[in-house]
Amino acid sequence: MATSTSISNTLIPFHKTQKKSQQTKTKPITLCMTFQEANNTTTSPTISTVTTELATATATTSARQENLDHKQEAMQHIYRKRPKHPQEHHNRRKLRHVWREIQGESDWAGLLDPMDPILRLELIRYGETAQACYDAFDFDPFSKYCGSCRFTRCNFFSSLGMNPTRHGYTVTRYLYATANINLPNFFRQSRWPKMWSRSANWAGYVAVSDDEMSKRIGRRDVVVAWRGTVTHLEWVADLMDFLKPFSAKNIPCPDPTVKVESGFLELYTEKDESCGYCKYSAREQILTEIKRLLEMYPNEELSITMTGHSLGAALATLSAYDIVETGLNVVGDGRAVPVSVFSFSGPRVGNLRFKERLETLGLKVLRVLNVHDMVPKSPGLVFNEHLPAAVMKLAEGLPWSYSHVGVELALDHKNSPFLNPNGDAVCAHNLEALLHLIDGYHGKGERFVLATGRDPALVNKACDFLKDHYLVPPNWRQNENKGMMLSHDGRWVQPERPKLDDHPEDMHHHLKQLGLATSYDI
């Protein structure tokens, strides 16, 4: 930002008179004087000239200052990290003292309007955890590793350049899903005959906070991040839009009327025993890893946090419900580890009974969405929670009657001065854009001001949503040379990557303890 010279030090000199005898000693006239003070400093006959010059200079300075004020006001959206909000200035709470409240212990009552600053930071942090699934995924069909993660577990966050003070987690397991189900726009496969796997796709990861991070956030946090769909919205049309009992896949559930979307359930429970990566279902992978980590820290304060965007948000909700329904979050001494879901732009998952059962079990879900996004409005375009309760009760048995769960935080991209109000459906569904909206949201009717200094350029990482005058190119995140490297003999080649971990050696042990082992596993 340009700096302006202090106008109080600007001097306006007298014009000398023609006759030396008429000269009068004067003190310099400055712009910090009033016009009356300037008149009293001299009896020179040229004082009218000085007054005119003073008026002209003052008018010019005033115009320049006004222009500077406008520029400062326009730029404060980017550079002002602490907006004039009483809760921002006087908040002295620490996350480690209020983490249960932030995780939804009281259903986020009083934290959303106005937006609690600690909750804002946590929403962005968990949103970045979900965004990491997109940034690490190999979408390139010309890569023989298409459909896999580009990085190994041990250097996952560091390879993405994620700040260890905000993401002090260790990835303990990668999650895989079989591509042998009807969701083609979720799965990606290489065009080359030689590929890393013909049946599997990387679907997310499980991570646990390290000692330093655990100290800052007040507990040992186990995070499950599910990958969603970033480049296409056609997967919504792929949904069968047909509810299936949650217990249909031999999942313990005392109420057969609890139903979820059949495509989500298949993605969560299907496996391919001929594939090393997906010979266990995503459900088996998650439940065994959660069990292992809870046993690893028996005497610590713990939390389980599920997160995801788009289809990943649906899987986060489904797997979180599975954890509390099976009682996996109840540890040896009888304590129930709190389970929370931070859902970003997620669709509806199940019917009204699913919603009621989920709430009865104490699962906390916070759904963040853009009101212009079509995905949270699906499935259940006709029969959904917006209908009167009596009508929903009558439609309860229909296979296409859905209801959203948890607490909703609805944001509007048209409130951001950075974003094109006429952005397309892909833009409205973009996760980076949603994190941008969280950063600028302070409450209903409040002015949009970025609170954390998060760079708006991130919005255009994988879409074209920012206004042109910000000079940020669309879809700017690219792999250097599309992953090609110059070999020692001067040829450009796709380098080999380290083999990704599939499943831990003690997998069958935990499956047996959960009652999920089959003869194949043993």
Side-chain angles (χ1 to χ4, degrees), residues 20-34:
K20 189 174 180 179
S21 59
Q22 291 180 347
Q23 287 182 341
T24 306
K25 282 190 176 182
T26 65
K27 64 180 181 179
I29 298 177
T30 66
L31 291 183
C32 62
M33 294 182 178
T34 65

mmCIF file of all heavy atoms in Angstrom, residues 20-34:
data_model
loop_
_atom_site.group_PDB
_atom_site.id
_atom_site.type_symbol
_atom_site.label_atom_id
_atom_site.label_comp_id
_atom_site.label_asym_id
_atom_site.label_seq_id
_atom_site.Cartn_x
_atom_site.Cartn_y
_atom_site.Cartn_z
ATOM 1 N N LYS A 20 11.200 46.551 -1.231
ATOM 2 C CA LYS A 20 11.837 45.966 -0.067
ATOM 3 C C LYS A 20 11.304 46.535 1.224
ATOM 4 O O LYS A 20 11.200 45.872 2.230
ATOM 5 C CB LYS A 20 13.348 46.185 -0.167
ATOM 6 C CG LYS A 20 14.133 45.426 0.888
ATOM 7 C CD LYS A 20 15.618 45.587 0.634
ATOM 8 C CE LYS A 20 16.413 44.841 1.667
ATOM 9 N NZ LYS A 20 17.858 44.950 1.439
ATOM 10 N N SER A 21 10.915 47.867 1.202
ATOM 11 C CA SER A 21 10.450 48.540 2.410
ATOM 12 C C SER A 21 9.111 47.996 2.875
ATOM 13 O O SER A 21 8.739 48.157 4.025
ATOM 14 C CB SER A 21 10.328 50.054 2.153
ATOM 15 O OG SER A 21 9.403 50.264 1.079
ATOM 16 N N GLN A 22 8.370 47.363 1.941
ATOM 17 C CA GLN A 22 7.052 46.879 2.326
ATOM 18 C C GLN A 22 7.109 45.430 2.822
ATOM 19 O O GLN A 22 6.112 44.867 3.218
ATOM 20 C CB GLN A 22 6.105 46.951 1.122
ATOM 21 C CG GLN A 22 5.779 48.380 0.728
ATOM 22 C CD GLN A 22 4.832 48.429 -0.461
ATOM 23 O OE1 GLN A 22 4.621 47.405 -1.120
ATOM 24 N NE2 GLN A 22 4.285 49.587 -0.708
ATOM 25 N N GLN A 23 8.310 44.813 2.792
ATOM 26 C CA GLN A 23 8.415 43.438 3.254
ATOM 27 C C GLN A 23 8.234 43.367 4.752
ATOM 28 O O GLN A 23 8.697 44.229 5.483
ATOM 29 C CB GLN A 23 9.775 42.850 2.891
ATOM 30 C CG GLN A 23 9.918 42.554 1.397
ATOM 31 C CD GLN A 23 11.252 41.938 1.092
ATOM 32 O OE1 GLN A 23 12.172 42.056 1.886
ATOM 33 N NE2 GLN A 23 11.345 41.282 -0.049
ATOM 34 N N THR A 24 7.591 42.358 5.182
ATOM 35 C CA THR A 24 7.346 42.159 6.611
ATOM 36 C C THR A 24 7.796 40.754 6.974
ATOM 37 O O THR A 24 7.510 39.802 6.258
ATOM 38 C CB THR A 24 5.851 42.321 6.934
ATOM 39 O OG1 THR A 24 5.417 43.569 6.450
ATOM 40 C CG2 THR A 24 5.596 42.186 8.422
ATOM 41 N N LYS A 25 8.496 40.643 8.087
ATOM 42 C CA LYS A 25 8.933 39.324 8.512
ATOM 43 C C LYS A 25 7.718 38.494 8.907
ATOM 44 O O LYS A 25 6.862 38.956 9.640
ATOM 45 C CB LYS A 25 9.891 39.430 9.709
ATOM 46 C CG LYS A 25 11.293 39.830 9.317
ATOM 47 C CD LYS A 25 12.229 39.682 10.471
ATOM 48 C CE LYS A 25 13.658 39.998 10.064
ATOM 49 N NZ LYS A 25 14.586 39.809 11.185
ATOM 50 N N THR A 26 7.698 37.282 8.441
ATOM 51 C CA THR A 26 6.550 36.407 8.733
ATOM 52 C C THR A 26 7.047 35.041 9.136
ATOM 53 O O THR A 26 8.159 34.632 8.810
ATOM 54 C CB THR A 26 5.663 36.244 7.486
ATOM 55 O OG1 THR A 26 6.403 35.575 6.494
ATOM 56 C CG2 THR A 26 5.175 37.570 6.962
ATOM 57 N N LYS A 27 6.205 34.334 9.846
ATOM 58 C CA LYS A 27 6.524 32.926 10.115
ATOM 59 C C LYS A 27 5.859 32.086 9.035
ATOM 60 O O LYS A 27 4.875 32.500 8.434
ATOM 61 C CB LYS A 27 6.037 32.508 11.504
ATOM 62 C CG LYS A 27 4.531 32.566 11.685
ATOM 63 C CD LYS A 27 4.166 32.126 13.098
ATOM 64 C CE LYS A 27 2.647 32.162 13.301
ATOM 65 N NZ LYS A 27 2.276 31.721 14.651
ATOM 66 N N PRO A 28 6.429 30.937 8.744
ATOM 67 C CA PRO A 28 5.878 30.116 7.670
ATOM 68 C C PRO A 28 4.427 29.729 7.946
ATOM 69 O O PRO A 28 4.041 29.505 9.086
ATOM 70 C CB PRO A 28 6.780 28.874 7.681
ATOM 71 C CG PRO A 28 7.988 29.262 8.438
ATOM 72 C CD PRO A 28 7.568 30.309 9.402
ATOM 73 N N ILE A 29 3.661 29.694 6.890
ATOM 74 C CA ILE A 29 2.266 29.275 6.994
ATOM 75 C C ILE A 29 2.186 27.805 6.595
ATOM 76 O O ILE A 29 2.671 27.421 5.548
ATOM 77 C CB ILE A 29 1.362 30.106 6.078
ATOM 78 C CG1 ILE A 29 1.429 31.575 6.515
ATOM 79 C CG2 ILE A 29 -0.068 29.597 6.118
ATOM 80 C CD1 ILE A 29 0.636 32.472 5.626
ATOM 81 N N THR A 30 1.606 26.973 7.426
ATOM 82 C CA THR A 30 1.505 25.531 7.158
ATOM 83 C C THR A 30 0.046 25.139 7.026
ATOM 84 O O THR A 30 -0.859 25.848 7.461
ATOM 85 C CB THR A 30 2.151 24.720 8.289
ATOM 86 O OG1 THR A 30 1.396 24.899 9.466
ATOM 87 C CG2 THR A 30 3.587 25.152 8.536
ATOM 88 N N LEU A 31 -0.164 23.929 6.454
ATOM 89 C CA LEU A 31 -1.530 23.463 6.234
ATOM 90 C C LEU A 31 -2.207 22.995 7.503
ATOM 91 O O LEU A 31 -3.392 22.716 7.509
ATOM 92 C CB LEU A 31 -1.530 22.330 5.209
ATOM 93 C CG LEU A 31 -1.182 22.758 3.786
ATOM 94 C CD1 LEU A 31 -1.288 21.561 2.861
ATOM 95 C CD2 LEU A 31 -2.096 23.860 3.313
ATOM 96 N N CYS A 32 -1.447 22.930 8.589
ATOM 97 C CA CYS A 32 -2.100 22.555 9.830
ATOM 98 C C CYS A 32 -2.731 23.761 10.503
ATOM 99 O O CYS A 32 -3.464 23.641 11.461
ATOM 100 C CB CYS A 32 -1.111 21.866 10.776
ATOM 101 S SG CYS A 32 0.271 22.916 11.271
ATOM 102 N N MET A 33 -2.463 24.991 10.002
ATOM 103 C CA MET A 33 -3.068 26.200 10.536
ATOM 104 C C MET A 33 -4.479 26.379 10.009
ATOM 105 O O MET A 33 -4.838 25.866 8.959
ATOM 106 C CB MET A 33 -2.258 27.437 10.119
ATOM 107 C CG MET A 33 -0.872 27.529 10.701
ATOM 108 S SD MET A 33 -0.090 29.046 10.153
ATOM 109 C CE MET A 33 1.455 28.943 11.021
ATOM 110 N N THR A 34 -5.259 27.124 10.758
ATOM 111 C CA THR A 34 -6.555 27.545 10.231
ATOM 112 C C THR A 34 -6.329 28.753 9.343
ATOM 113 O O THR A 34 -5.281 29.408 9.381
ATOM 114 C CB THR A 34 -7.515 27.929 11.374
ATOM 115 O OG1 THR A 34 -6.997 29.074 12.035
ATOM 116 C CG2 THR A 34 -7.684 26.783 12.366
#
